[in-house]
């Protein structure tokens, strides 16, 4: 089943993001290589695809997991959580309707 992992950054998270980004991306690449990643990315703090020094306000990941507990465990183990990038992380079941 698909799950949505919606994270909200702490203020001024950019330095924390930069330090933990390589490890964070490696985990996402594993999901992608396993065919389980639907989409992933951050929310720029400004109205631009290139946030620059404005940084980000959070992230969204939609991926397949065996169940809610597995999705929550994966989210809890995110390097961004360990680096204290996120103030809050919410994991919910997700039903994809489009694209088909």
């Amino acid at each position: 089943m698909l799950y949505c992992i919606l994270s909200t950054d702490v203020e001024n998270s950019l330095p924390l993001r930069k330090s933990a980004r390589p490890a964070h991306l490696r985990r996402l690449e594993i999901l992608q290589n396993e065919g389980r990643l639907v989409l992933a990315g951050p929310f720029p703090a400004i109205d631009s695809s290139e946030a620059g020094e404005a940084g980000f306000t959070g992230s969204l990941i939609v991926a397949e997991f065996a169940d809610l507990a597995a999705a929550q465990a994966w989210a809890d183990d995110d390097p961004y959580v360990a680096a204290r990038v996120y103030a809050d992380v919410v994991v919910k079941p997700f039903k994809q309707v489009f694209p088909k």
Side-chain angles (χ1 to χ4, degrees):
M1 180 166 179
L2 294 179
Y3 293 86
C4 168
I5 302 171
L6 182 61
S7 306
T8 304
D9 281 23
V10 298
E11 289 199 34
N12 303 311
S13 64
L14 191 57
L16 301 171
R17 274 183 170 268
K18 286 180 177 179
S19 67
R21 189 169 191 261
H24 173 76
L25 293 180
R26 278 193 298 274
R27 294 180 80 234
L28 290 170
E29 287 171 354
I30 292 168
L31 285 180
Q32 181 175 336
N33 291 340
E34 293 172 348
R36 297 171 42 206
L37 184 63
V38 175
L39 64 89
F43 301 114
I46 58 174
D47 189 12
S48 172
S49 62
E50 299 298 325
E53 290 305 309
F56 302 93
T57 61
S59 299
L60 172 67
I61 298 168
V62 177
E64 183 180 340
F65 293 93
D67 54 34
L68 181 58
Q72 185 68 59
W74 190 92
D76 290 346
D77 198 35
D78 193 311
Y80 280 176
V81 171
R84 301 188 189 275
V85 171
Y86 296 144
D88 184 54
V89 178
V90 176
V91 180
K92 297 180 178 187
F94 180 79
K95 180 181 177 183
Q96 182 175 354
V97 176
F98 288 99
K100 294 181 179 185

